[in-house]
């Protein structure tokens, strides 16, 4: 009896390993194989395991873009020719804004409401309403591995109101004490960016101080300062139009600035250590009004989101690599791109975040004991 049970458990483990390597699209079809397969593919443990495996696959990264008509998803791998429309949570240009993405969950504001949306599965959840939202705020979305929860942080750009955070398992916004807030505002004033990059378990933003950026740990909610590169003038003395910002490339914080002529990019090879800031590249701005680094390929080429001012259509957006190659997503030529993010497709359902509190060991052990796979 023990031998039969052991063989069955081993077969289950082999099946899980095989399914983990398949695409989200294939797994959706396999839910119809049997009730036990559907149970496995909807289990939080499997979804996390599948997503963690995809993180290490170079062909798994997707580019999510939108036009005035549709949303699109395309592969970032030159070896994969795959582009398809994404079922809309809303019509583009219908009063929505996409702030950021974490684990394939997109943070969206629409008509003063906030959603977490998985475009691959078309599943979404409405976040609790903010009692008194500031008119000029910025937001970030991150995963707290300590509490196994997703959290959204809101910061007032004026640096006057207290910061607020909401955890999906808790379900309500909570004010947190910020040592930066003063009656007149100070170091928490953000520089032109509308989202908070999340890396190394913390949200990050730039303030008015020229020598450091700010961070907030998602688990213990502590504020820290992180030094910027030495002898780097982000804000020139002469009056010129300049954009300054931070982003994330290959799980590392990056810093950039540009004017009408030149774009500069630094990357922090070792988190929190000033001496490990490295200037990655300098490029001509090519007349762009905004340049955002969004992805670094395995060969170290960087993909940028360029925004240009079009006299006929207003602001237009294209993607260009650091060697000046246009990255074409081959979508409707009569429309123009309005947004874009790089992400990994996943099975994570924002409506089932509570279920992630089940530990991985207990979840798998329960499956083995009950023989849920046929």
């Amino acid at each position: 009896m023990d031998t039969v049970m052991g063989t069955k458990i081993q077969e289950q483990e082999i099946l899980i390993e095989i399914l983990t390597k398949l695409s989200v699209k294939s797994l959706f079809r396999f839910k119809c194989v049997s009730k036990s397969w559907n149970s496995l593919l909807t289990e939080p443990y499997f979804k996390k395991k599948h997503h963690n495996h995809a993180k290490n696959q170079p062909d798994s990264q997707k580019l999510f873009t939108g036009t005035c008509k549709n949303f699109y998803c395309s592969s970032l791998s030159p070896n994969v020719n795959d582009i398809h429309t994404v079922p809309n949570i809303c019509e583009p240009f219908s009063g929505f804004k996409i702030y950021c993405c974490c684990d394939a969950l997109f943070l969206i504001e629409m008509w003063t409401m906030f959603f977490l949306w998985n475009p691959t599965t078309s599943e979404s959840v409405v976040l609790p309403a903010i009692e008194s939202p500031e008119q000029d705020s910025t937001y970030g979305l991150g995963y707290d591995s300590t509490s196994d929860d997703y959290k959204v942080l809101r910061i007032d750009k004026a640096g006057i109101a207290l910061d607020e955070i909401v955890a999906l398992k808790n379900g309500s916004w909570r004010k947190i004490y910020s040592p930066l807030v003063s009656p007149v505002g100070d170091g928490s004033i953000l520089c032109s960016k509308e989202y908070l990059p999340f890396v190394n378990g913390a949200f990050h933003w730039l303030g008015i101080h020229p020598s450091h950026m700010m961070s907030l740990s998602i688990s213990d909610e502590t504020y820290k300062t992180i030094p910027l590169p030495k002898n780097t003038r982000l804000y020139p003395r002469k009056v010129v139009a300049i954009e300054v910002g931070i982003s994330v490339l290959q799980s590392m914080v990056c810093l950039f600035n540009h004017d009408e002529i030149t774009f500069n990019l630094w990357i922090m090879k070792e988190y929190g250590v000033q001496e490990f800031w490295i200037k990655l590249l300098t490029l001509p701005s090519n007349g762009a009004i905004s340049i955002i680094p969004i992805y670094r390929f395995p060969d170290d080429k960087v993909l940028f989101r360029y925004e240009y001012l079009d006299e006929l259509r207003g602001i237009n957006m294209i993607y260009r690599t650091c060697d000046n190659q246009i990255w074409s997503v081959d979508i409707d030529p009569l429309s123009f791109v309005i947004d874009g993010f790089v992400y990994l497709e996943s099975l994570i359902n924002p409506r089932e975040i509570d279920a992630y509190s089940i530990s991985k060991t207990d979840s798998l052990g329960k499956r083995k004991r009950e023989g849920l796979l046929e």
Side-chain angles (χ1 to χ4, degrees), residues 56-311:
N56 299 317
Q57 307 306 309
D59 293 342
S60 297
Q61 298 287 351
K62 306 290 184 179
L63 178 62
F64 178 87
T65 57
T67 71
C68 59
K69 297 180 180 179
N70 293 294
F71 293 123
Y72 297 87
C73 176
S74 59
S75 174
L76 276 179
S77 171
N79 303 319
V80 180
N81 184 17
D82 176 33
I83 180 169
H84 55 272
T85 58
V86 177
N88 295 347
I89 188 175
C90 60
E91 291 298 324
F93 284 157
S94 61
F96 81 99
K97 178 175 180 57
I98 302 177
Y99 282 97
C100 53
C101 175
C102 178
D103 292 349
L105 300 180
F106 285 78
L107 176 63
I108 298 178
E109 181 182 11
M110 183 168 58
W111 304 312
T112 72
M113 295 189 299
F114 287 86
F115 299 80
L116 285 188
W117 174 50
N118 185 332
T120 307
T121 64
S122 300
E123 296 161 333
S124 63
V125 66
V126 180
L127 296 181
I130 303 175
E131 291 185 5
S132 55
E134 299 297 326
Q135 293 298 316
D136 196 13
S137 298
T138 189
Y139 298 84
L141 170 66
Y143 172 69
D144 182 0
S145 59
T146 302
S147 61
D148 201 16
D149 199 359
Y150 289 88
K151 297 180 179 179
V152 177
L153 176 66
R154 183 193 72 81
I155 290 182
D156 170 30
K157 287 187 179 182
I160 298 175
L162 289 174
D163 302 337
E164 291 186 276
I165 196 166
V166 60
L168 264 65
K169 291 180 182 178
N170 179 272
S172 62
W173 288 91
R174 175 173 50 83
K175 295 183 184 297
I176 53 179
Y177 172 72
S178 170
L180 306 172
V181 172
S182 73
V184 295
D186 52 19
S188 64
I189 297 175
L190 295 154
C191 293
S192 74
K193 299 296 99 184
E194 297 179 319
Y195 72 100
L196 304 172
F198 182 78
V199 65
N200 207 52
F203 298 102
H204 299 78
W205 65 95
L206 289 172
I208 59 174
H209 200 288
S211 66
H212 61 251
M213 73 176 75
M214 298 302 306
S215 72
L216 175 71
S217 169
I218 196 173
S219 58
D220 59 13
E221 297 176 8
T222 56
Y223 293 83
K224 294 181 180 178
T225 60
I226 298 177
L228 295 177
K230 292 181 179 179
N231 304 319
T232 299
R233 187 173 297 280
L234 296 178
Y235 316 105
R237 293 175 182 173
K238 60 181 181 179
V239 179
V240 295
I242 190 166
E243 179 183 49
V244 181
I246 51 177
S247 185
V248 180
L249 294 176
Q250 291 182 329
S251 299
M252 291 182 285
V253 178
C254 67
L255 170 72
F256 59 90
N257 72 349
H258 78 92
D259 54 26
E260 296 178 350
I261 301 173
T262 305
F263 172 89
N264 302 291
L265 176 65
W266 298 262
I267 194 164
M268 183 177 265
K269 300 287 286 186
E270 184 173 329
Y271 182 78
V273 182
Q274 187 177 41
E275 289 72 21
F276 279 83
W277 279 109
I278 296 175
K279 192 165 189 178
L280 194 62
L281 50 85
T282 297
L283 299 171
S285 296
N286 292 323
I289 60 174
S290 177
I291 306 174
I292 309 292
I294 62 172
Y295 183 65
R296 192 176 182 187
F297 293 95
D299 62 1
D300 290 335
K301 289 183 181 179
V302 179
L303 181 66
F304 296 94
R305 190 174 74 203
Y306 280 73
E307 290 184 11
Y308 291 93
L309 188 59
D310 189 308
E311 293 182 359

